[in-house]
Amino acid sequence: MDYELVVCIVNDGFSETVMDAAKEVGARGGTVIHAKGTANKEAEQFFKISIQPDKEMVLILVPQNIKDDVLHAIYKSAGLKTEGQGIAFSMAVDHVVGLSSSPLAVEEVAAPQENTDN
């Protein structure tokens, strides 16, 4: 199965809104990273919004076939025209290990065999 990484950057306090929207269309979970934005006054004027420096980055690994649904759901609930003022994008993922739906997960994550030749 092919995967995509959906990345969403929202104002502090809106990561739960992002995850709720993503889960409604099939995402299973994500990771939240606290961050600080560096936008300047020109960006605020261009987008016609006030930019809050404290941000949350939400990383969501999803099957490729639901990526568009997840992006659209996030945009509706936490996009630039909402209080969350979020942006979202996706990136292709080459390899995935550790997920139960990945056929490589058990093979590649298995513990190494102990050497008993002592």
Side-chain angles (χ1 to χ4, degrees):
M1 178 179 290
D2 292 328
Y3 289 90
E4 294 269 336
L5 177 65
V6 173
V7 178
C8 183
I9 303 167
V10 289
N11 286 338
D12 190 39
F14 287 88
S15 59
E16 207 168 302
T17 302
V18 170
M19 282 311 310
D20 288 346
K23 285 180 179 179
E24 283 182 25
V25 293
R28 293 171 53 188
T31 299
V32 177
I33 301 171
H34 296 282
K36 188 166 287 286
T38 61
N40 55 27
K41 289 292 177 192
E42 291 84 21
E44 287 185 347
Q45 291 171 349
F46 179 77
F47 291 113
K48 296 180 175 54
I49 58 174
S50 173
I51 298 178
Q52 175 184 348
D54 291 325
K55 302 290 181 189
E56 291 176 327
M57 288 180 57
V58 184
L59 310 175
I60 309 167
L61 190 63
V62 298
Q64 194 173 40
N65 65 328
I66 68 167
K67 173 204 53 160
D68 288 338
D69 292 339
V70 170
L71 286 169
H72 290 293
I74 290 170
Y75 175 75
K76 286 180 185 176
S77 67
L80 275 178
K81 296 185 189 257
T82 69
E83 286 185 61
Q85 295 180 334
I87 63 166
F89 56 92
S90 69
M91 297 184 287
V93 174
D94 289 335
H95 301 285
V96 174
V97 296
L99 295 179
S100 60
S101 62
S102 172
L104 300 177
V106 175
E107 265 181 59
E108 293 193 31
V109 180
Q113 298 290 325
E114 287 186 33
N115 187 351
T116 58
D117 295 337
N118 292 339

